[in-house]
């Protein structure tokens, strides 16, 4: 695991929204996080629409372009912020799919050992509590 950045250095966070809908609450929340990030922190957004459904047969032939780009963005970031709704008491398929790709291969995935945070927004009573 890498050392955390010193207080005087810049922190680069990669934001991933678990909703593909352009007007989603979670995409808005991610934009708000970007706008409200403290001095010395930048939040770059990677759009998960470019990441195809996980398929081990596809993986065996090489990572698709969207997956390669996502993995490179994760590797370049100091940390990852997952901004995700809750669908039917769970993580939406879009976010689960991104996690499936980002955690491969198991021992050398760029997500391994990376600090992460999770936030979410929802108009429902429990929001993204689970």
């Amino acid at each position: 695991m890498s050392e955390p950045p010193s207080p005087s250095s810049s922190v680069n966070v990669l934001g991933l929204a678990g909703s593909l809908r352009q007007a989603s609450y979670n995409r808005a929340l991610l934009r708000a996080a970007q706008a409200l990030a403290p001095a010395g922190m930048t939040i770059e957004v990677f759009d998960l629409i470019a990441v195809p459904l996980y398929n081990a047969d596809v993986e065996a032939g090489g990572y698709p372009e969207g997956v390669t780009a996502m993995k490179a963005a994760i590797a370049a970031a100091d940390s990852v912020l997952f901004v995700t709704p809750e669908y039917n008491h769970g993580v939406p398929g879009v976010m689960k799919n991104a996690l499936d790709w980002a955690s491969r291969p198991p021992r050398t995935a760029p997500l391994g050992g990376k600090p992460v945070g999770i936030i979410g927004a929802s108009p429902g009573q429990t929001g993204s509590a689970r």
Side-chain angles (χ1 to χ4, degrees):
M1 185 159 37
S2 62
E3 290 295 316
S6 69
S8 63
S9 68
S10 175
V11 176
N12 300 308
V13 178
L14 179 68
L16 302 174
S19 175
L20 298 180
R21 191 172 61 86
Q22 287 300 312
S24 82
Y25 294 116
N26 289 278
R27 283 180 179 260
L29 181 58
L30 182 50
R31 287 189 300 275
Q34 279 183 299
L36 297 171
M41 176 185 285
T42 59
I43 301 176
E44 177 186 338
V45 176
F46 184 87
D47 195 338
L48 294 177
I49 200 155
V51 179
L53 291 174
Y54 176 77
N55 180 328
D57 292 337
V58 171
E59 180 185 27
Y63 292 116
E65 185 177 324
V67 173
T68 300
M70 178 184 70
K71 288 171 157 280
I74 292 170
D78 296 314
S79 63
V80 179
L81 179 61
F82 297 105
V83 185
T84 185
E86 178 183 314
Y87 294 162
N88 298 318
H89 306 286
V91 176
V94 170
M95 187 60 74
K96 173 68 169 81
N97 184 61
L99 290 168
D100 288 344
W101 279 114
S103 63
R104 312 268 318 150
R107 288 172 197 62
T108 60
L111 191 56
K114 185 88 49 179
V116 302
I118 303 169
I119 58 175
S122 172
Q125 283 186 328
T126 59
S128 294
R130 288 179 270 270

